[in-house]
Amino acid sequence: QVQLVESGGGLVQAGGSLRLSCAASGSIFRFNVMGWYRQAPGKRRELVGIINAGITNYADSVKGRFTISMDNAKNTADLQMNSLKPEDTGVYYCCGGIFSDEYWGQGTQVTVSS
């Protein structure tokens, strides 16, 4: 049984910062890739950032403001979010991938007020 648990979400004013964390449990393997996604109600889940072998990719909307990091040995991933905007509001999900398998967390709510 593999679980990914996100934490660190909350309510923040525009321009503020949050740091989201993702931790895996119940896993005997190490993820090859980890990423952060977000989803607004009624919208498709959107890639925020992904890290694979130290190489990061970000959505254009967050580039320069968000930073993803990963500890491969610990199966953890953090998302540092700075200069938050109201449009960043959504449920943020952590995803860990190994080979063709994907595991998802339950999500953590991020609400950015104007």
Side-chain angles (χ1 to χ4, degrees):
Q1 186 176 5
V2 177
Q3 292 181 315
L4 294 177
V5 179
E6 304 95 336
S7 62
L11 176 64
V12 65
Q13 291 183 339
S17 298
L18 285 173
R19 187 176 183 89
L20 306 183
S21 297
C22 173
S25 64
S27 176
I28 63 173
F29 52 81
R30 298 173 181 177
F31 293 120
N32 301 118
V33 58
M34 298 190 76
W36 284 92
Y37 296 74
R38 66 187 181 189
Q39 186 172 22
K43 302 295 183 180
R44 187 174 181 269
R45 191 170 296 183
E46 171 192 31
L47 172 69
V48 175
I50 192 167
I51 183 167
N52 187 349
I55 301 174
T56 56
N57 289 281
Y58 300 94
D60 288 339
S61 60
V62 308
K63 192 174 299 182
R65 300 187 297 119
F66 291 9
T67 303
I68 187 172
S69 59
M70 175 183 176
D71 187 330
N72 185 61
K74 297 180 180 180
N75 283 337
T76 60
D78 289 355
L79 182 68
Q80 178 66 46
M81 306 186 295
N82 299 324
S83 301
L84 284 162
K85 305 174 181 179
E87 50 263 44
D88 294 320
T89 294
V91 179
Y92 283 69
Y93 298 89
C94 175
C95 177
I98 178 169
F99 305 112
S100 62
D101 296 326
E102 295 181 353
Y103 300 88
W104 292 85
Q106 82 289 348
T108 185
Q109 177 70 42
V110 173
T111 303
V112 184
S113 62
S114 60

